Amino acid sequence: MTKIDFMGKRKYFYILSILIMVIGLISYFVQGFNYDIDFTGGTVLEINLHKVPTAQEISELEKLTKQITGTQTPIVRKVEDGKKIMINAHEVHGKKKTELSKETRDKLFGEIAKKYNLKKEDLISYQNVGAVVSSELKSQAIWAVVIASILMLIYVAIRFEFRFGTTAIIAIIHDLLIMLTVYTLFRIPLNSSFIAAILTVLGYSINDTIVVFDRIRENRRIMGKMELKELVNLSMNQTIGRTISTITTVVIVLIVLYVMGVQSIKEFAFPLLIGVISGAYSSIFIATALWFDWELSTRKKKLQAKPKRA
């Protein structure tokens, strides 16, 4: 068994997490999120280029789409064998974002067809997503996360105690913010796959945190007289092996899925990969450390409140 002084180093982990979140916050204010069509509404065009476009060509296609449609951050990505692309774009009318009109759609495809010598049938499909549907999806996603968090808080509070439940939920919020930081920093499109990944990560992260909390509770029952710091360190050293083994196997599967999967699988696997790593980190270094500080503070207050003997 390892003998790592987790609690002695907890401030370093707090600083690391805060630093990442501050970077994410700055990135959000500077460049915002790259919302996919699921959240903005617009049109998805699928085009067969008959060749795998380079990163430079993808960038040029994005500039062309922005120039013709007025979309601030159009998304162009390769799909299936890489020779087909999907373009997500919309038109802006005042404050409203709408799907592309037939004229704009034809003009965009016409320019791409001229550049890559395409035929009419190479425009495989197009799909319009209304702004109302996008707004409903965004609202439902937020409610899904909020309801899932409340239910987990209730469960952990009943199963363990309120302090365990609260710190577990803070750790989950931490994971969510880390995922959002990566998305805003690298301009990765936020879409419905991201929401599915968030809900999966919430379940995974709480599961990992509960394992550590359960061990603390057991050790506290058996070794109640042990100093709190030693007890928490002992519990974490007893569970760290299991946590690393679990996260390693899950990460291997997700990396394989990301490398070998089609575009839709990649869009699900990538946020899941970030969230699972963040979840393992927060369950070890954040949730338990927060609970430790809270418990320590409560004990000190109780000690100070005790009347001194004359």
Side-chain angles (χ1 to χ4, degrees), residues 216-278:
I216 291 173
R217 191 179 60 163
E218 282 182 16
N219 285 339
R220 192 167 56 174
R221 195 180 301 154
I222 300 167
M223 297 171 271
K225 291 183 179 177
M226 184 182 277
E227 191 185 334
L228 184 63
K229 186 177 177 182
E230 286 179 28
L231 187 135
V232 173
N233 275 332
L234 174 68
S235 305
M236 294 180 73
N237 279 296
Q238 286 173 338
T239 54
I240 187 75
R242 176 202 175 278
T243 303
I244 290 174
S245 300
T246 307
I247 184 70
T248 304
T249 52
V250 174
V251 164
I252 288 171
V253 171
L254 290 175
I255 289 175
V256 172
L257 273 177
Y258 182 77
V259 172
M260 303 188 71
V262 295
Q263 186 62 29
S264 56
I265 298 293
K266 286 178 192 286
E267 289 177 359
F268 181 67
F270 184 70
L272 210 53
L273 186 62
I274 298 165
V276 163
I277 293 171
S278 175

Short mmCIF file of all heavy atoms in Angstrom, two decimals, residues 216-278:
data_model
loop_
_atom_site.label_atom_id
_atom_site.label_comp_id
_atom_site.label_asym_id
_atom_site.label_seq_id
_atom_site.Cartn_x
_atom_site.Cartn_y
_atom_site.Cartn_z
N ILE A 216 -13.51 6.04 4.05
CA ILE A 216 -13.31 6.96 5.18
C ILE A 216 -14.31 6.63 6.30
O ILE A 216 -13.96 6.57 7.48
CB ILE A 216 -13.48 8.43 4.73
CG1 ILE A 216 -12.32 8.84 3.82
CG2 ILE A 216 -13.52 9.37 5.95
CD1 ILE A 216 -12.49 10.21 3.20
N ARG A 217 -15.53 6.41 5.90
CA ARG A 217 -16.58 6.11 6.89
C ARG A 217 -16.27 4.81 7.64
O ARG A 217 -16.40 4.74 8.85
CB ARG A 217 -17.94 5.99 6.18
CG ARG A 217 -19.11 5.95 7.13
CD ARG A 217 -20.40 5.85 6.41
NE ARG A 217 -20.46 4.65 5.58
CZ ARG A 217 -21.59 4.14 5.09
NH1 ARG A 217 -22.72 4.75 5.33
NH2 ARG A 217 -21.59 3.07 4.34
N GLU A 218 -15.83 3.80 6.90
CA GLU A 218 -15.51 2.51 7.53
C GLU A 218 -14.34 2.66 8.50
O GLU A 218 -14.36 2.17 9.63
CB GLU A 218 -15.16 1.48 6.46
CG GLU A 218 -16.36 0.91 5.76
CD GLU A 218 -15.96 -0.14 4.73
OE1 GLU A 218 -14.82 -0.63 4.79
OE2 GLU A 218 -16.80 -0.44 3.87
N ASN A 219 -13.29 3.35 8.02
CA ASN A 219 -12.10 3.53 8.87
C ASN A 219 -12.41 4.38 10.10
O ASN A 219 -11.85 4.15 11.17
CB ASN A 219 -10.97 4.17 8.06
CG ASN A 219 -10.32 3.18 7.11
OD1 ASN A 219 -10.44 1.97 7.30
ND2 ASN A 219 -9.67 3.68 6.08
N ARG A 220 -13.32 5.34 9.93
CA ARG A 220 -13.68 6.20 11.07
C ARG A 220 -14.41 5.37 12.14
O ARG A 220 -14.25 5.60 13.34
CB ARG A 220 -14.57 7.34 10.58
CG ARG A 220 -14.76 8.45 11.60
CD ARG A 220 -15.36 9.68 11.00
NE ARG A 220 -16.63 9.42 10.34
CZ ARG A 220 -17.40 10.37 9.84
NH1 ARG A 220 -17.03 11.64 9.93
NH2 ARG A 220 -18.53 10.10 9.24
N ARG A 221 -15.18 4.41 11.67
CA ARG A 221 -15.93 3.54 12.60
C ARG A 221 -14.96 2.62 13.35
O ARG A 221 -15.10 2.39 14.55
CB ARG A 221 -16.93 2.71 11.80
CG ARG A 221 -18.00 2.03 12.66
CD ARG A 221 -18.94 1.23 11.79
NE ARG A 221 -19.60 2.07 10.78
CZ ARG A 221 -20.06 1.62 9.62
NH1 ARG A 221 -19.91 0.36 9.30
NH2 ARG A 221 -20.68 2.42 8.79
N ILE A 222 -13.96 2.11 12.62
CA ILE A 222 -13.02 1.15 13.21
C ILE A 222 -11.94 1.86 14.04
O ILE A 222 -11.56 1.42 15.12
CB ILE A 222 -12.35 0.28 12.12
CG1 ILE A 222 -13.44 -0.49 11.35
CG2 ILE A 222 -11.34 -0.68 12.70
CD1 ILE A 222 -12.94 -1.11 10.07
N MET A 223 -11.42 2.98 13.45
CA MET A 223 -10.29 3.68 14.10
C MET A 223 -10.69 5.11 14.45
O MET A 223 -10.08 6.07 14.00
CB MET A 223 -9.09 3.69 13.15
CG MET A 223 -8.57 2.30 12.83
SD MET A 223 -7.35 2.28 11.54
CE MET A 223 -8.36 2.12 10.10
N GLY A 224 -11.74 5.24 15.19
CA GLY A 224 -12.31 6.55 15.50
C GLY A 224 -11.36 7.49 16.22
O GLY A 224 -11.50 8.71 16.10
N LYS A 225 -10.38 6.93 16.95
CA LYS A 225 -9.48 7.78 17.72
C LYS A 225 -8.28 8.28 16.90
O LYS A 225 -7.49 9.09 17.37
CB LYS A 225 -8.97 7.04 18.96
CG LYS A 225 -10.08 6.81 19.99
CD LYS A 225 -9.54 6.14 21.23
CE LYS A 225 -10.66 5.95 22.25
NZ LYS A 225 -10.19 5.22 23.45
N MET A 226 -8.15 7.76 15.69
CA MET A 226 -7.03 8.19 14.84
C MET A 226 -7.20 9.64 14.43
O MET A 226 -8.33 10.12 14.22
CB MET A 226 -6.97 7.31 13.58
CG MET A 226 -5.79 7.62 12.69
SD MET A 226 -5.78 6.61 11.19
CE MET A 226 -5.03 5.12 11.79
N GLU A 227 -6.11 10.35 14.33
CA GLU A 227 -6.16 11.76 13.91
C GLU A 227 -6.81 11.85 12.51
O GLU A 227 -6.55 10.99 11.65
CB GLU A 227 -4.74 12.33 13.87
CG GLU A 227 -4.71 13.84 13.71
CD GLU A 227 -3.30 14.37 13.55
OE1 GLU A 227 -2.38 13.69 14.02
OE2 GLU A 227 -3.15 15.43 12.92
N LEU A 228 -7.60 12.89 12.31
CA LEU A 228 -8.39 12.99 11.08
C LEU A 228 -7.52 12.94 9.82
O LEU A 228 -7.83 12.23 8.86
CB LEU A 228 -9.21 14.29 11.09
CG LEU A 228 -10.15 14.48 9.90
CD1 LEU A 228 -11.22 13.40 9.86
CD2 LEU A 228 -10.79 15.86 9.93
N LYS A 229 -6.42 13.67 9.83
CA LYS A 229 -5.55 13.73 8.65
C LYS A 229 -4.99 12.34 8.32
O LYS A 229 -4.97 11.92 7.16
CB LYS A 229 -4.41 14.72 8.90
CG LYS A 229 -3.54 14.96 7.69
CD LYS A 229 -2.48 16.01 8.00
CE LYS A 229 -1.54 16.20 6.83
NZ LYS A 229 -0.49 17.16 7.12
N GLU A 230 -4.56 11.63 9.35
CA GLU A 230 -4.00 10.28 9.15
C GLU A 230 -5.08 9.34 8.64
O GLU A 230 -4.85 8.50 7.77
CB GLU A 230 -3.44 9.74 10.47
CG GLU A 230 -2.14 10.39 10.87
CD GLU A 230 -1.62 9.84 12.20
OE1 GLU A 230 -1.92 8.69 12.51
OE2 GLU A 230 -0.95 10.59 12.92
N LEU A 231 -6.30 9.49 9.19
CA LEU A 231 -7.40 8.61 8.79
C LEU A 231 -7.76 8.81 7.32
O LEU A 231 -7.96 7.85 6.57
CB LEU A 231 -8.61 8.89 9.68
CG LEU A 231 -9.79 7.94 9.50
CD1 LEU A 231 -10.33 7.51 10.86
CD2 LEU A 231 -10.90 8.56 8.69
N VAL A 232 -7.82 10.08 6.89
CA VAL A 232 -8.18 10.37 5.48
C VAL A 232 -7.06 9.89 4.55
O VAL A 232 -7.32 9.27 3.52
CB VAL A 232 -8.44 11.89 5.30
CG1 VAL A 232 -8.64 12.21 3.83
CG2 VAL A 232 -9.65 12.31 6.10
N ASN A 233 -5.80 10.16 4.94
CA ASN A 233 -4.68 9.70 4.11
C ASN A 233 -4.67 8.18 3.98
O ASN A 233 -4.45 7.64 2.90
CB ASN A 233 -3.35 10.16 4.72
CG ASN A 233 -3.00 11.57 4.29
OD1 ASN A 233 -3.40 12.02 3.22
ND2 ASN A 233 -2.27 12.29 5.11
N LEU A 234 -4.93 7.50 5.10
CA LEU A 234 -4.97 6.03 5.08
C LEU A 234 -6.06 5.53 4.13
O LEU A 234 -5.83 4.65 3.30
CB LEU A 234 -5.25 5.52 6.50
CG LEU A 234 -5.45 4.00 6.63
CD1 LEU A 234 -4.15 3.25 6.33
CD2 LEU A 234 -5.95 3.63 8.03
N SER A 235 -7.24 6.14 4.22
CA SER A 235 -8.37 5.72 3.38
C SER A 235 -8.05 5.94 1.90
O SER A 235 -8.36 5.09 1.05
CB SER A 235 -9.62 6.53 3.75
OG SER A 235 -9.91 6.41 5.11
N MET A 236 -7.42 7.06 1.59
CA MET A 236 -7.11 7.36 0.19
C MET A 236 -6.02 6.44 -0.35
O MET A 236 -6.08 6.00 -1.49
CB MET A 236 -6.70 8.83 0.05
CG MET A 236 -7.87 9.77 0.36
SD MET A 236 -7.43 11.48 0.21
CE MET A 236 -7.31 11.65 -1.54
N ASN A 237 -5.03 6.14 0.51
CA ASN A 237 -3.98 5.21 0.07
C ASN A 237 -4.54 3.80 -0.14
O ASN A 237 -4.04 3.06 -0.97
CB ASN A 237 -2.84 5.18 1.10
CG ASN A 237 -1.90 6.36 0.91
OD1 ASN A 237 -1.24 6.47 -0.13
ND2 ASN A 237 -1.85 7.27 1.86
N GLN A 238 -5.57 3.45 0.62
CA GLN A 238 -6.19 2.13 0.46
C GLN A 238 -7.01 2.03 -0.83
O GLN A 238 -7.19 0.95 -1.36
CB GLN A 238 -7.10 1.84 1.67
CG GLN A 238 -6.34 1.51 2.94
CD GLN A 238 -7.25 1.39 4.15
OE1 GLN A 238 -8.36 1.93 4.17
NE2 GLN A 238 -6.77 0.70 5.18
N THR A 239 -7.52 3.17 -1.32
CA THR A 239 -8.41 3.12 -2.50
C THR A 239 -7.72 3.61 -3.78
O THR A 239 -8.27 3.44 -4.86
CB THR A 239 -9.66 3.99 -2.27
OG1 THR A 239 -9.26 5.31 -1.89
CG2 THR A 239 -10.54 3.41 -1.19
N ILE A 240 -6.53 4.22 -3.67
CA ILE A 240 -5.89 4.82 -4.84
C ILE A 240 -5.59 3.78 -5.93
O ILE A 240 -5.73 4.05 -7.13
CB ILE A 240 -4.60 5.58 -4.43
CG1 ILE A 240 -4.02 6.36 -5.62
CG2 ILE A 240 -3.55 4.67 -3.87
CD1 ILE A 240 -4.76 7.59 -5.95
N GLY A 241 -5.21 2.57 -5.50
CA GLY A 241 -4.91 1.51 -6.46
C GLY A 241 -6.12 1.16 -7.30
O GLY A 241 -6.04 1.03 -8.53
N ARG A 242 -7.26 1.04 -6.62
CA ARG A 242 -8.49 0.69 -7.33
C ARG A 242 -8.87 1.80 -8.30
O ARG A 242 -9.27 1.55 -9.45
CB ARG A 242 -9.62 0.47 -6.31
CG ARG A 242 -10.97 0.19 -6.94
CD ARG A 242 -12.10 0.51 -5.99
NE ARG A 242 -13.40 0.35 -6.64
CZ ARG A 242 -13.96 1.26 -7.41
NH1 ARG A 242 -13.34 2.39 -7.68
NH2 ARG A 242 -15.14 1.04 -7.96
N THR A 243 -8.76 3.06 -7.84
CA THR A 243 -9.13 4.19 -8.69
C THR A 243 -8.27 4.26 -9.94
O THR A 243 -8.78 4.43 -11.05
CB THR A 243 -8.97 5.52 -7.89
OG1 THR A 243 -9.76 5.43 -6.72
CG2 THR A 243 -9.39 6.70 -8.72
N ILE A 244 -6.95 4.06 -9.77
CA ILE A 244 -6.04 4.12 -10.93
C ILE A 244 -6.32 2.98 -11.91
O ILE A 244 -6.34 3.18 -13.13
CB ILE A 244 -4.57 4.10 -10.45
CG1 ILE A 244 -4.24 5.42 -9.74
CG2 ILE A 244 -3.61 3.89 -11.61
CD1 ILE A 244 -2.89 5.49 -9.11
N SER A 245 -6.58 1.79 -11.38
CA SER A 245 -6.87 0.64 -12.25
C SER A 245 -8.14 0.90 -13.06
O SER A 245 -8.19 0.64 -14.27
CB SER A 245 -7.07 -0.63 -11.41
OG SER A 245 -5.91 -0.91 -10.69
N THR A 246 -9.16 1.42 -12.38
CA THR A 246 -10.45 1.67 -13.06
C THR A 246 -10.28 2.73 -14.14
O THR A 246 -10.72 2.54 -15.28
CB THR A 246 -11.50 2.15 -12.03
OG1 THR A 246 -11.54 1.21 -10.98
CG2 THR A 246 -12.86 2.25 -12.66
N ILE A 247 -9.65 3.85 -13.78
CA ILE A 247 -9.51 4.95 -14.73
C ILE A 247 -8.66 4.53 -15.93
O ILE A 247 -8.94 4.91 -17.07
CB ILE A 247 -8.93 6.21 -14.04
CG1 ILE A 247 -8.87 7.40 -15.00
CG2 ILE A 247 -7.56 6.01 -13.50
CD1 ILE A 247 -10.18 7.95 -15.35
N THR A 248 -7.64 3.71 -15.68
CA THR A 248 -6.75 3.28 -16.78
C THR A 248 -7.53 2.46 -17.81
O THR A 248 -7.41 2.69 -19.02
CB THR A 248 -5.57 2.44 -16.22
OG1 THR A 248 -4.90 3.22 -15.24
CG2 THR A 248 -4.60 2.08 -17.32
N THR A 249 -8.32 1.51 -17.33
CA THR A 249 -9.07 0.66 -18.27
C THR A 249 -10.09 1.48 -19.05
O THR A 249 -10.26 1.31 -20.26
CB THR A 249 -9.79 -0.48 -17.53
OG1 THR A 249 -10.55 0.08 -16.46
CG2 THR A 249 -8.81 -1.47 -16.95
N VAL A 250 -10.76 2.41 -18.35
CA VAL A 250 -11.78 3.24 -19.03
C VAL A 250 -11.12 4.16 -20.07
O VAL A 250 -11.61 4.30 -21.19
CB VAL A 250 -12.58 4.08 -18.00
CG1 VAL A 250 -13.52 5.04 -18.71
CG2 VAL A 250 -13.37 3.18 -17.07
N VAL A 251 -9.98 4.75 -19.68
CA VAL A 251 -9.27 5.67 -20.60
C VAL A 251 -8.79 4.92 -21.85
O VAL A 251 -8.89 5.44 -22.97
CB VAL A 251 -8.09 6.36 -19.87
CG1 VAL A 251 -7.13 7.00 -20.85
CG2 VAL A 251 -8.62 7.41 -18.91
N ILE A 252 -8.29 3.70 -21.66
CA ILE A 252 -7.82 2.91 -22.82
C ILE A 252 -8.98 2.69 -23.80
O ILE A 252 -8.85 2.89 -25.01
CB ILE A 252 -7.24 1.56 -22.35
CG1 ILE A 252 -5.89 1.80 -21.66
CG2 ILE A 252 -7.06 0.61 -23.53
CD1 ILE A 252 -5.32 0.58 -20.97
N VAL A 253 -10.14 2.30 -23.26
CA VAL A 253 -11.31 2.07 -24.13
C VAL A 253 -11.70 3.35 -24.86
O VAL A 253 -11.97 3.34 -26.07
CB VAL A 253 -12.49 1.54 -23.28
CG1 VAL A 253 -13.76 1.51 -24.11
CG2 VAL A 253 -12.19 0.16 -22.75
N LEU A 254 -11.71 4.46 -24.14
CA LEU A 254 -12.15 5.74 -24.76
C LEU A 254 -11.16 6.21 -25.82
O LEU A 254 -11.57 6.77 -26.85
CB LEU A 254 -12.33 6.80 -23.67
CG LEU A 254 -13.53 6.58 -22.74
CD1 LEU A 254 -13.55 7.61 -21.63
CD2 LEU A 254 -14.83 6.65 -23.53
N ILE A 255 -9.86 6.01 -25.57
CA ILE A 255 -8.86 6.40 -26.58
C ILE A 255 -9.04 5.57 -27.86
O ILE A 255 -9.02 6.11 -28.97
CB ILE A 255 -7.42 6.23 -26.02
CG1 ILE A 255 -7.17 7.32 -24.96
CG2 ILE A 255 -6.39 6.35 -27.13
CD1 ILE A 255 -5.84 7.19 -24.24
N VAL A 256 -9.27 4.27 -27.68
CA VAL A 256 -9.49 3.40 -28.86
C VAL A 256 -10.75 3.86 -29.61
O VAL A 256 -10.76 3.95 -30.84
CB VAL A 256 -9.61 1.92 -28.43
CG1 VAL A 256 -10.05 1.06 -29.60
CG2 VAL A 256 -8.29 1.43 -27.87
N LEU A 257 -11.81 4.15 -28.85
CA LEU A 257 -13.05 4.62 -29.48
C LEU A 257 -12.81 5.91 -30.25
O LEU A 257 -13.30 6.09 -31.37
CB LEU A 257 -14.12 4.88 -28.39
CG LEU A 257 -14.99 3.71 -27.96
CD1 LEU A 257 -15.92 4.15 -26.85
CD2 LEU A 257 -15.80 3.19 -29.14
N TYR A 258 -12.03 6.82 -29.64
CA TYR A 258 -11.78 8.11 -30.28
C TYR A 258 -10.94 7.95 -31.55
O TYR A 258 -11.24 8.56 -32.57
CB TYR A 258 -11.06 9.05 -29.30
CG TYR A 258 -10.84 10.42 -29.90
CD1 TYR A 258 -11.89 11.34 -29.99
CD2 TYR A 258 -9.60 10.79 -30.40
CE1 TYR A 258 -11.70 12.59 -30.56
CE2 TYR A 258 -9.41 12.04 -30.97
CZ TYR A 258 -10.46 12.93 -31.05
OH TYR A 258 -10.28 14.16 -31.63
N VAL A 259 -9.93 7.10 -31.48
CA VAL A 259 -9.03 6.94 -32.63
C VAL A 259 -9.72 6.19 -33.77
O VAL A 259 -9.59 6.55 -34.94
CB VAL A 259 -7.74 6.19 -32.19
CG1 VAL A 259 -6.87 5.84 -33.40
CG2 VAL A 259 -6.95 7.05 -31.22
N MET A 260 -10.47 5.14 -33.43
CA MET A 260 -11.04 4.27 -34.47
C MET A 260 -12.50 4.57 -34.81
O MET A 260 -13.01 4.06 -35.81
CB MET A 260 -10.90 2.82 -34.03
CG MET A 260 -9.46 2.43 -33.73
SD MET A 260 -9.24 0.70 -33.44
CE MET A 260 -9.48 0.03 -35.06
N GLY A 261 -13.17 5.36 -33.98
CA GLY A 261 -14.59 5.58 -34.19
C GLY A 261 -14.91 6.57 -35.31
O GLY A 261 -14.03 7.31 -35.77
N VAL A 262 -16.16 6.55 -35.75
CA VAL A 262 -16.62 7.53 -36.74
C VAL A 262 -16.83 8.86 -36.02
O VAL A 262 -16.73 8.95 -34.79
CB VAL A 262 -17.94 7.06 -37.41
CG1 VAL A 262 -17.70 5.81 -38.22
CG2 VAL A 262 -19.04 6.85 -36.38
N GLN A 263 -17.17 9.92 -36.76
CA GLN A 263 -17.23 11.26 -36.20
C GLN A 263 -18.17 11.36 -34.99
O GLN A 263 -17.84 11.97 -33.98
CB GLN A 263 -17.65 12.25 -37.28
CG GLN A 263 -17.62 13.70 -36.86
CD GLN A 263 -16.23 14.17 -36.49
OE1 GLN A 263 -15.24 13.66 -37.01
NE2 GLN A 263 -16.14 15.12 -35.57
N SER A 264 -19.36 10.73 -35.11
CA SER A 264 -20.33 10.84 -34.01
C SER A 264 -19.80 10.17 -32.74
O SER A 264 -20.05 10.63 -31.63
CB SER A 264 -21.67 10.22 -34.42
OG SER A 264 -21.46 8.89 -34.82
N ILE A 265 -19.04 9.07 -32.91
CA ILE A 265 -18.44 8.38 -31.76
C ILE A 265 -17.33 9.25 -31.16
O ILE A 265 -17.18 9.36 -29.95
CB ILE A 265 -17.88 7.00 -32.17
CG1 ILE A 265 -19.01 6.12 -32.68
CG2 ILE A 265 -17.15 6.34 -31.02
CD1 ILE A 265 -20.01 5.72 -31.63
N LYS A 266 -16.54 9.87 -32.04
CA LYS A 266 -15.45 10.76 -31.55
C LYS A 266 -16.03 11.89 -30.72
O LYS A 266 -15.48 12.27 -29.68
CB LYS A 266 -14.69 11.36 -32.74
CG LYS A 266 -13.77 10.42 -33.47
CD LYS A 266 -13.15 11.15 -34.63
CE LYS A 266 -12.43 10.22 -35.59
NZ LYS A 266 -11.19 9.71 -35.10
N GLU A 267 -17.15 12.46 -31.18
CA GLU A 267 -17.76 13.60 -30.48
C GLU A 267 -18.29 13.20 -29.11
O GLU A 267 -18.44 14.05 -28.23
CB GLU A 267 -18.88 14.20 -31.33
CG GLU A 267 -18.35 14.93 -32.55
CD GLU A 267 -19.46 15.47 -33.42
OE1 GLU A 267 -20.65 15.26 -33.08
OE2 GLU A 267 -19.15 16.09 -34.45
N PHE A 268 -18.59 11.92 -28.93
CA PHE A 268 -19.04 11.43 -27.62
C PHE A 268 -17.84 11.02 -26.77
O PHE A 268 -17.80 11.29 -25.57
CB PHE A 268 -19.99 10.25 -27.81
CG PHE A 268 -20.52 9.70 -26.53
CD1 PHE A 268 -21.38 10.44 -25.72
CD2 PHE A 268 -20.14 8.44 -26.10
CE1 PHE A 268 -21.86 9.93 -24.52
CE2 PHE A 268 -20.62 7.92 -24.91
CZ PHE A 268 -21.48 8.66 -24.12
N ALA A 269 -16.86 10.37 -27.42
CA ALA A 269 -15.73 9.81 -26.68
C ALA A 269 -14.81 10.90 -26.12
O ALA A 269 -14.29 10.77 -25.01
CB ALA A 269 -14.93 8.86 -27.57
N PHE A 270 -14.61 12.00 -26.86
CA PHE A 270 -13.66 13.02 -26.42
C PHE A 270 -14.07 13.72 -25.12
O PHE A 270 -13.29 13.76 -24.16
CB PHE A 270 -13.41 14.04 -27.53
CG PHE A 270 -12.37 15.05 -27.17
CD1 PHE A 270 -11.04 14.69 -27.07
CD2 PHE A 270 -12.72 16.37 -26.89
CE1 PHE A 270 -10.07 15.62 -26.72
CE2 PHE A 270 -11.77 17.30 -26.53
CZ PHE A 270 -10.44 16.92 -26.44
N PRO A 271 -15.31 14.27 -25.03
CA PRO A 271 -15.68 14.88 -23.74
C PRO A 271 -15.73 13.86 -22.61
O PRO A 271 -15.44 14.20 -21.46
CB PRO A 271 -17.07 15.47 -24.01
CG PRO A 271 -17.58 14.81 -25.22
CD PRO A 271 -16.38 14.43 -26.02
N LEU A 272 -16.07 12.62 -22.97
CA LEU A 272 -16.10 11.57 -21.94
C LEU A 272 -14.70 11.31 -21.41
O LEU A 272 -14.49 11.14 -20.20
CB LEU A 272 -16.66 10.29 -22.59
CG LEU A 272 -17.43 9.33 -21.68
CD1 LEU A 272 -18.54 10.04 -20.95
CD2 LEU A 272 -17.99 8.18 -22.50
N LEU A 273 -13.72 11.32 -22.30
CA LEU A 273 -12.33 11.10 -21.91
C LEU A 273 -11.86 12.20 -20.95
O LEU A 273 -11.28 11.91 -19.90
CB LEU A 273 -11.46 11.10 -23.17
CG LEU A 273 -9.98 10.77 -23.02
CD1 LEU A 273 -9.79 9.36 -22.48
CD2 LEU A 273 -9.26 10.92 -24.36
N ILE A 274 -12.16 13.43 -21.29
CA ILE A 274 -11.77 14.56 -20.42
C ILE A 274 -12.48 14.46 -19.07
O ILE A 274 -11.88 14.61 -18.01
CB ILE A 274 -12.13 15.91 -21.08
CG1 ILE A 274 -11.36 16.08 -22.38
CG2 ILE A 274 -11.82 17.08 -20.14
CD1 ILE A 274 -11.91 17.17 -23.25
N GLY A 275 -13.79 14.18 -19.13
CA GLY A 275 -14.59 14.13 -17.91
C GLY A 275 -14.18 12.99 -16.99
O GLY A 275 -14.14 13.17 -15.76
N VAL A 276 -13.86 11.85 -17.56
CA VAL A 276 -13.48 10.68 -16.74
C VAL A 276 -12.15 10.95 -16.03
O VAL A 276 -11.99 10.65 -14.84
CB VAL A 276 -13.40 9.42 -17.63
CG1 VAL A 276 -12.63 8.31 -16.96
CG2 VAL A 276 -14.80 8.94 -17.97
N ILE A 277 -11.20 11.53 -16.76
CA ILE A 277 -9.90 11.86 -16.14
C ILE A 277 -10.09 12.91 -15.05
O ILE A 277 -9.56 12.80 -13.94
CB ILE A 277 -8.90 12.36 -17.22
CG1 ILE A 277 -8.56 11.22 -18.18
CG2 ILE A 277 -7.63 12.90 -16.57
CD1 ILE A 277 -7.77 11.65 -19.40
N SER A 278 -10.89 13.93 -15.37
CA SER A 278 -11.16 14.98 -14.38
C SER A 278 -11.91 14.41 -13.17
O SER A 278 -11.65 14.79 -12.03
CB SER A 278 -11.99 16.09 -15.04
OG SER A 278 -12.36 17.04 -14.09
#
